[in-house]
């Protein structure tokens, strides 16, 4: 039987397990990336493992999230990241150089390589044929230490692309169409592998937009073949030697096949507050727009911004519509500058922001109260923009730029001719010298810390019987933004767990932290898809610090589930989802944790005599990790 690209890469990197869907496989990881928001903790964890230097082919530490330097906390973190990278043999990317995924695609990602990153949009590198997965910071720390990365062997979905994008349709519309069809839960446990005659005409940046936002499907990752377009891109980046052809065998078998005819796509938009609430742009015609934001790791490439400049050139946005543009990297910025494409942006009234995540995580650029913001980003969860009642819509760069001129949603049929599809200029400037490569002799490097960098606390082992109250009951689709809100004030505390924990569920239930302090331990009850969203491991570390012993839910999002395991919180699944209604906040629970077996059931009893049955999808090893009190304990004890 022929092999898919996914199977070929996994087979080459397999260190344990069998390639049978659902069974755990251990993978050798070639590359890692970290970003400052989650990476500071990952590096503290790497230090705690105590092996000295990274054992991957390449590890890169990017600073792109908290680049605003208000007070000492962020700059102290950046200095720590620079010095710990130098000491540990990793590459450092300073604040302002660009967004991790755009930079990694341009400078380091390789076809056929495995990459894990402490950021859920790491699959961006799938656009170049890397098997790239978002992971918890601790998993990344372990991969940097040369340990395998464990995942359930994914199912492989072939996305057969036919036809060709026409008019105003863009790569973003391909993934919005998939989200419309499959929803934010449609990709769990799956790799989306793109194939078919429609692939050849899609540029690497378009492909990277699609694989980036495969994360919103909940997918393990997404991947494109490595072909002539990949070769062209790598050669333009001065990395022609990194090219290898990587295509699926003609008789490869897949678990599912989905077809998308690119010729039929038209501009789409995801409506508030979920990336799968997708409709056609024309269906919203007449709705006023307060703000457009072009950038993020999803749509901030040269082609996105060149098209933006072409659309805006010689025109002006209305005074009521704020337009912000964040280039994905200094390389993109330099290419725009060389071609005289910055001036049309400025003259159209746009605000040119730093090459960083910026407004994507509410780091500046929040919309006005109840304001409508059209963004080229990948997420529009409630409150993520920094404005709790902001109405965020997700669209392509071309759509956002065109709508910025109209100041309201309009029918693309009235937009006139679409800008030409562009890839890269003849001469692409390098920014390689802006990265800080580690010195050969690291003995003189001193790791510099500040007062906000607090060493990790030790966590207790799991007790045989957990007795704790339900201290919070939440609905379906709780995101990591619900668990720990984003924003400058909070994320600046990312290397200080006692301080950041004070914000856990603060926008859902202000009293939660107080109740946890009062009782010392607690259980969270949740619905379906609990913990969806980002790889933010503080959304598990924070609750653990407060004393959360277990979450009992209908279903769990993949990365958050892994983070719960890593930090020793029991992820329990209701056998009968209707039992969600049988449990209430305030119930005293008795959980016979020592009776748990992988995949087995246990009965939880409440003080009032009720009983509910829960199961788990834990492997033997994961159960042992939780019993040890988390992965760091288990690694130190030699169990993992
Ligand atoms: Fe940054 Fe937003 Fe991407 S926070 S890494 S631009 S999802």
């Amino acid at each position: 039987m022929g092999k898919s690209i996914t199977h070929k890469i996994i087979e080459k990197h397999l260190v344990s397990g069998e390639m049978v869907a659902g069974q755990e496989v251990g993978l050798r990881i070639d590359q890692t990336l970290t970003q400052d928001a989650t990476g500071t903790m990952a590096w503290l964890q790497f230090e705690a493992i105590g092996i000295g230097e990274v054992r991957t082919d390449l590890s890169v530490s990017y600073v792109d999230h908290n680049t605003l330097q208000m007070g000492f906390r962020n700059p102290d973190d950046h200095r720590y990241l620079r010095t710990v990278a130098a000491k540990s043999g990793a590459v450092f990317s300073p604040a302002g150089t660009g967004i991790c995924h755009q930079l990694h695609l341009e400078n380091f990602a390789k076809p056929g390589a495995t990459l894990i990153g402490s950021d859920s949009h790491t699959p961006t590198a799938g656009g170049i044929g890397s098997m790239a997965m978002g992971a918890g910071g601790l998993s990344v720390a372990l991969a940097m230490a040369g340990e395998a990365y464990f995942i359930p062997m994914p199912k492989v979905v072939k996305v057969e692309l036919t036809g060709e994008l026409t008019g105003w349709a863009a790569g973003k519309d391909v993934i919005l169409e998939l989200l419309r069809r499959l929803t934010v839960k449609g990709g769990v446990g799956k790799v989306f592998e793109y194939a078919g005659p429609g692939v050849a005409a899609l540029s690497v940046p378009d492909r990277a937009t699609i694989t980036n936002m495969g994360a919103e499907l909940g997918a393990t990752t997404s991947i494109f073949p490595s072909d002539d377009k990949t070769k062209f891109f790598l050669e333009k980046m001065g990395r022609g030697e990194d090219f290898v052809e990587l295509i699926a065998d003609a008789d490869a078998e897949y678990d599912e096949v989905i077809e998308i005819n690119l010729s039929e796509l038209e501009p789409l938009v995801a409506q508030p507050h979920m990336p799968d609430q997708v409709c056609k742009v024309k269906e919203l015609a007449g709705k006023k727009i307060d703000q457009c934001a072009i950038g993020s790791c999803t749509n901030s490439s040269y082609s996105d911004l060149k098209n933006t400049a072409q659309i805006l050139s010689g025109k002006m946005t209305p005074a009521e519509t704020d337009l912000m543009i964040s280039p994905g990297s200094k390389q993109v910025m330099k290419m725009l500058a060389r071609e005289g494409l910055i001036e049309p942006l400025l003259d159209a009234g746009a605000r040119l922001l730093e090459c960083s995540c910026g407004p994507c995580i509410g780091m500046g650029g929040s919309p006005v109260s109840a304001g409508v913001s059209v963004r080229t980003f990948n997420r529009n969860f409630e409150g993520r923009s920094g404005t709790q009642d902001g109405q965020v819509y997700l669209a392509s760069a071309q759509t956002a730029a065109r709508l910025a001129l109209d100041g309201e949603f309009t029918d693309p049929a009235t937009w006139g001719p679409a800008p030409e599809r562009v890839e890269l200029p003849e001469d692409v400037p390098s920014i390689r010298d802006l990265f800080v490569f580690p010195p050969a002799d690291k003995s003189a490097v001193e790791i510099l810390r500040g007062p906000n960098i607090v060493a990790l606390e030790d966590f207790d082992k799991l007790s045989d019987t957990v007795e704790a109250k339900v201290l919070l009951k939440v609905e379906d689709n709780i995101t990591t933004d619900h668990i720990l809100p984003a924003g400058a004030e909070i994320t600046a505390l990312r290397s200080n767990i006692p301080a950041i924990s004070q914000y856990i569920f603060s926008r859902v239930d202000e009293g939660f932290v107080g109740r946890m302090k009062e009782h010392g331990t607690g259980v969270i009850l949740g619905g379906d898809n609990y913990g969806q969203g980002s790889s933010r491991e503080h959304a598990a570390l924070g609750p653990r610090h407060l004393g959360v012993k277990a979450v009992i839910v209908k279903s769990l999002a993949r990365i958050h589930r892994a983070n719960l395991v890593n930090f020793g919180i029991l992820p329990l699944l209701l056998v009968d989802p209707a039992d969600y209604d049988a449990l209430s906040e305030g119930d005293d629970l008795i959980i016979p944790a020592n009776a748990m077996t992988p995949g087995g059931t246990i009965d939880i009893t409440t003080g009032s005599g009720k009983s509910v049955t829960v199961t788990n999808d834990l492997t033997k090893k994961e159960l042992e990790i939780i019993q040890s009190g988390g992965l760091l304990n288990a690694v130190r004890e030699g169990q993992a």
Side-chain angles (χ1 to χ4, degrees):
M1 186 179 82
K3 291 178 190 141
S4 63
I5 297 170
T6 309
H7 278 94
K8 289 183 186 189
I9 298 179
I10 291 180
E11 191 176 60
K12 209 169 158 195
H13 291 83
L14 194 68
V15 292
S16 69
E18 276 185 52
M19 292 169 51
V20 176
Q23 291 199 11
E24 186 182 78
V25 286
L27 302 179
R28 181 172 48 79
I29 296 301
D30 300 321
Q31 299 187 345
T32 66
L33 70 79
T34 49
Q35 41 89 336
D36 52 304
T38 55
T40 317
M41 186 52 62
W43 280 102
L44 285 168
Q45 289 161 345
F46 176 76
E47 283 195 272
I49 297 167
I51 60 139
E53 293 193 28
V54 298
R55 293 180 179 165
T56 47
D57 294 349
L58 174 85
S59 289
V60 190
S61 169
Y62 295 95
V63 175
D64 56 1
H65 276 58
N66 298 278
T67 54
L68 299 180
Q69 295 179 291
M70 300 179 302
F72 67 92
R73 291 192 177 96
N74 289 335
D76 276 10
D77 277 4
H78 302 171
R79 182 181 60 178
Y80 166 70
L81 290 171
R82 175 171 54 76
T83 52
V84 76
K87 188 79 177 173
S88 312
V91 179
F92 176 69
S93 172
T97 312
I99 305 172
C100 57
H101 307 305
Q102 178 71 22
L103 287 171
H104 207 78
L105 191 74
E106 291 168 349
N107 296 284
F108 301 110
K110 289 184 182 177
T114 49
L115 162 72
I116 66 169
S118 64
D119 188 282
S120 46
H121 292 100
T122 303
T124 311
I128 213 168
S130 291
M131 172 107 189
M133 295 161 283
L138 183 50
S139 300
V140 177
L142 288 166
M144 292 195 288
E147 302 282 330
Y149 178 54
F150 295 92
I151 52 166
M153 179 68 198
K155 290 186 172 172
V156 184
V157 180
K158 180 187 191 185
V159 185
E160 173 85 8
L161 300 178
T162 58
E164 209 167 311
L165 292 172
T166 60
W168 288 85
K172 183 69 158 273
D173 299 307
V174 178
I175 189 65
L176 288 175
E177 170 64 11
L178 263 183
L179 278 156
R180 186 187 71 77
R181 291 193 204 174
L182 303 180
T183 81
V184 290
K185 287 194 286 185
V188 177
K190 299 172 184 175
V191 171
F192 288 76
E193 185 170 313
Y194 289 82
V199 166
L202 287 175
S203 66
V204 166
D206 268 340
R207 296 175 183 188
T209 295
I210 294 167
T211 59
N212 169 286
M213 232 177 139
E216 275 50 63
L217 292 164
T220 304
T221 191
S222 306
I223 192 163
F224 270 85
S226 173
D227 58 10
D228 287 349
K229 286 282 189 206
T230 322
K231 188 163 187 269
F232 169 82
F233 182 86
L234 283 169
E235 282 172 353
K236 285 284 182 191
M237 295 296 138
R239 299 200 289 131
E241 71 280 3
D242 287 342
F243 175 73
V244 286
E245 190 185 57
L246 189 60
I247 49 173
D249 293 336
D251 58 345
E253 285 194 10
Y254 297 87
D255 296 290
E256 275 174 60
V257 179
I258 296 173
E259 282 182 35
I260 296 182
N261 183 345
L262 300 174
S263 311
E264 289 173 359
L265 289 180
E266 58 181 284
L268 300 172
V269 61
Q271 305 170 84
H273 297 286
M274 261 320 139
D276 60 4
Q277 298 301 300
V278 175
C279 71
K280 293 177 178 172
V281 171
K282 66 184 175 200
E283 290 173 41
L284 300 174
K287 182 180 271 297
K288 191 174 158 300
I289 296 170
D290 300 287
Q291 180 190 66
C292 289
I294 298 174
S296 87
C297 57
T298 318
N299 282 110
S300 59
S301 64
Y302 165 79
S303 49
D304 285 325
L305 299 194
K306 177 161 181 170
N307 275 170
T308 299
Q310 288 169 327
I311 292 163
L312 297 177
S313 182
K315 305 192 179 73
M316 184 75 186
T317 54
E320 309 79 51
T321 309
D322 193 21
L323 172 61
M324 297 176 297
I325 297 172
S326 335
S329 71
K330 281 189 175 172
Q331 186 182 49
V332 170
M333 184 85 104
K334 280 172 77 168
M335 288 189 275
L336 296 175
R338 279 186 180 184
E339 286 184 48
L341 296 172
I342 301 283
E343 218 170 306
L345 301 178
L346 301 179
D347 288 348
R351 297 159 59 187
L352 203 52
L353 307 184
E354 192 178 29
C355 304
S356 67
C357 301
C360 182
I361 37 162
M363 199 61 62
S366 301
V368 293
S369 294
V372 170
S373 179
V374 178
R375 301 178 158 216
T376 66
F377 309 169
N378 43 38
R379 293 199 166 138
N380 57 349
F381 303 146
E382 198 171 0
R384 183 178 167 94
S385 64
T387 300
Q388 193 58 29
D389 58 0
Q391 305 291 309
V392 175
Y393 294 75
L394 306 174
S396 70
Q398 293 86 336
T399 295
R402 190 61 187 77
L403 292 177
L405 289 175
D406 290 342
E408 62 178 34
F409 282 94
T410 46
D411 185 343
T414 66
W415 290 356
E420 56 168 330
R421 290 183 197 281
V422 288
E423 290 198 34
L424 286 162
E426 192 52 44
D427 186 21
V428 176
S430 170
I431 58 164
R432 206 164 173 82
D433 291 345
L434 301 180
F435 296 105
V436 183
F437 289 87
D441 177 5
K442 301 170 186 70
S443 56
V445 178
E446 188 190 348
I447 301 175
L448 300 172
R449 302 164 208 275
N452 191 42
I453 297 173
V454 176
L456 282 180
E457 65 198 282
D458 286 333
F459 290 133
D460 294 344
K461 285 178 185 294
L462 182 71
S463 35
D464 288 348
T465 305
V466 174
E467 295 188 35
K469 268 185 192 301
V470 176
L471 289 183
L472 186 70
K473 182 172 181 176
V474 287
E475 306 285 317
D476 290 347
N477 292 322
I478 286 293
T479 69
T480 46
D481 280 325
H482 287 117
I483 302 173
L484 180 66
E489 188 191 346
I490 299 174
T491 48
L493 300 171
R494 62 196 168 275
S495 21
N496 187 341
I497 297 301
I500 208 168
S501 301
Q502 307 310 307
Y503 293 90
I504 294 295
F505 280 111
S506 58
R507 298 213 182 125
V508 173
D509 181 340
E510 280 180 8
F512 174 67
V513 171
R515 292 198 295 280
M516 285 300 307
K517 281 185 187 160
E518 187 189 333
H519 294 282
T521 59
V523 169
I524 295 168
L525 181 63
D528 261 324
N529 203 18
Y530 179 86
Q532 67 157 326
S534 77
S535 61
R536 197 172 300 161
E537 64 185 349
H538 294 75
L541 259 170
R544 178 65 209 253
H545 172 81
L546 294 172
V548 172
K549 298 293 181 196
V551 298
I552 304 174
V553 296
K554 294 179 189 169
S555 66
L556 272 169
R558 182 181 69 89
I559 300 178
H560 189 61
R561 173 196 170 283
N563 284 334
L564 292 174
V565 172
N566 287 345
F567 298 107
I569 297 179
L570 274 171
L572 300 175
L573 306 168
L574 291 163
V575 170
D576 180 0
D579 277 343
Y580 172 85
D581 298 319
L583 293 173
S584 311
E585 199 171 296
D587 280 350
D588 287 303
L589 303 185
I590 301 171
I591 304 172
N594 58 349
M596 283 181 63
T597 54
T601 60
I602 52 170
D603 289 335
I604 296 178
T605 49
T606 71
S608 58
K610 281 181 277 184
S611 170
V612 295
T613 306
V614 294
T615 185
N616 66 78
D617 59 359
L618 300 168
T619 62
K620 181 168 173 284
K621 197 178 78 209
E622 286 175 330
L623 192 54
E624 285 168 2
I625 288 168
I626 295 173
Q627 285 161 344
S628 302
L631 188 51
L632 272 180
N633 289 358
V635 168
R636 290 198 202 105
E637 290 165 12
Q639 279 186 21

